[in-house]
Amino acid sequence: MTTPLRIGIAGLGTVGGGVLSLLGAHAERINAHLPRPITVTAVSARQRGRNRGVAIDSYRWFDDPVALAESDEVDLFVELIGGEDGPARASVEAAIGRGKPVVTANKALLAHHGTRLARLAEAAGTTIKFEAAVAGGIPIVKTMRESLQGNTIRRVYGILNGTCNFILTAMAEEGRDFAEVLAEAQARGYAEADPTFDIGGFDAAHKLALLTSLAFGTKPAIGEVYIEGIENIERADMEAAAELGYAIKLLGVALATEHGIEQRVHPTMVARGSAIAGVNGVSNCVAVEGDRVGHIMLVGAGAGAGPTASSVVSDILDVARGDQSPVFVIPAAELKDIERAGMKAHEGAYFVRLAVYDRIGAFAAIATRMAEQRVSLESIVQRRGGSAGGGKPQGDGVPMASVVLITHRTTERAIREALAAIETDGHLNGRPQLIRIEDF
Ligand code: HSE
């Protein structure tokens, strides 16, 4: 009989527990069709005695994940610890150093150190697989690695953070404020106690950096991602968006342009009738535009024990079937540096919301500044009252107006310069709100 592939799992939180549970429930069926059966032999976590809902007594216990990765009883190392450095990185490097394949859900590790780790793995004759690192249970890594290889990719984008999507959906559907919904997301366990990583856009940026590499054959480059979070989105933006036929989503977008590759994570206005506008709550989605396949979109759970374990186990099975392919599809030595298209060159339409002192000449000055930068306006709505960027609803006894503009396609440089000039004119109470509109 073929010797089993012995698996060591480091990190027994939600995902690690989900992997043990999945394998416990389905191992017999899975092993019936594998050239080499799989078996978990060893585990490691911070606390041995914690109740995880799955028994771990039958596995060899390691306090140190590096020792687990190096153990002679482990052929495949599964890293579910998380974090770009520390024990996660040390244990992955230890496994690779012994020529062992690695399966990981760690987007931060690969977004920061992916190229180096891929080189090490390839030099050691092994590989790293990371389906669970991008959008949890959605099989987008495999889809891009295998099913879309005949295509030249123009754009890959998606809703890559469930916490942000939950918050934005609740703000839009229930008319609630950001801070209140964030508190609920924390109470439900979606957002961390320190939610900066999610709401600041960093988690989505890590995932986008990996998608960009798969789409364009480039080195993962988290430092080249433009990042804006959702913390400045106000109820007034949601109301204006709904009135104008848009929904607001935190999108990650990687786009090939004549100036290079744009990698950006930011709140985005999307048409209410678009497929992506209908992806709500904690769901994620990833869409790809290829020259032959056209536009495809995968939607599903971006986190959680079951969905993420589904992706981890998919990678384990690929290793058991003998898949040794390069980490980022092509050999690490052939990955190109990102030629970054700066945000100033970004082209698109924009939503602008301004809290304006309602006095003679204010509106005309705004229109003049836009015209000076050759920014053409598609629609203008002015209402009495309103605030922007945390400004006071009423300014110094002068009546206020809320002005919402939608521009035609322009450049980021032009709209930013127009807004800077409008600010210096002194007609605004608070900072302008600027949200990019994305066409699909
Ligand atoms: N915290 C992430 C989210 C899941 O809210 O989508 C893990 O990346």
Side-chain angles (χ1 to χ4, degrees), residues 176-405:
R176 294 159 68 196
D177 283 322
F178 173 80
E180 183 193 331
V181 186
L182 172 59
E184 184 186 335
Q186 287 174 299
R188 287 177 177 233
Y190 300 151
E192 301 295 325
D194 174 5
T196 317
F197 203 65
D198 287 313
I199 64 170
F202 304 103
D203 175 73
H206 286 145
K207 296 166 186 167
L208 183 69
L210 300 180
L211 289 173
T212 305
S213 173
L214 295 172
F216 301 115
T218 50
K219 297 173 186 168
I222 183 68
E224 306 296 333
V225 184
Y226 173 84
I227 307 172
E228 255 178 49
I230 64 166
E231 52 281 69
N232 293 326
I233 299 297
E234 297 181 24
R235 205 161 51 170
D237 299 314
M238 290 294 176
E239 288 164 3
E243 203 171 310
L244 293 162
Y246 293 102
I248 302 177
K249 299 290 182 187
L250 183 79
L251 293 197
V253 182
L255 173 72
T257 77
E258 60 184 300
H259 308 291
I261 294 173
E262 285 183 6
Q263 286 189 100
R264 45 193 169 84
V265 171
H266 52 71
T268 311
M269 295 266 181
V270 297
R272 277 188 97 74
S274 62
I276 201 163
V279 178
N280 286 321
V282 288
S283 292
N284 281 201
C285 72
V286 187
V288 185
E289 290 170 6
D291 64 340
R292 300 298 155 135
V293 73
H295 187 180
I296 63 158
M297 180 181 285
L298 302 181
V299 182
T308 313
S310 164
S311 288
V312 170
V313 170
S314 158
D315 281 345
I316 292 173
L317 300 190
D318 279 348
V319 171
R321 292 187 194 104
D323 181 349
Q324 294 272 14
S325 52
V327 180
F328 297 104
V329 184
I330 59 176
E334 292 174 28
L335 293 168
K336 294 172 290 192
D337 287 318
I338 286 246
E339 191 189 332
R340 177 179 183 163
M343 278 308 284
K344 289 279 173 68
H346 169 70
E347 290 181 23
Y350 290 82
F351 163 99
V352 175
R353 185 170 60 81
L354 307 169
V356 179
Y357 292 111
D358 189 1
R359 57 195 174 202
I360 291 168
F363 200 90
I366 292 166
T368 300
R369 292 304 194 181
M370 292 289 183
E372 283 171 359
Q373 295 300 327
R374 317 236 14 103
V375 176
S376 172
L377 303 177
E378 181 192 291
S379 76
I380 308 171
V381 181
Q382 176 169 328
R383 292 260 155 71
R384 195 174 299 154
S387 68
K392 292 173 288 181
Q394 297 293 319
D396 311 331
V398 181
M400 299 298 301
S402 169
V403 174
V404 172
L405 311 168

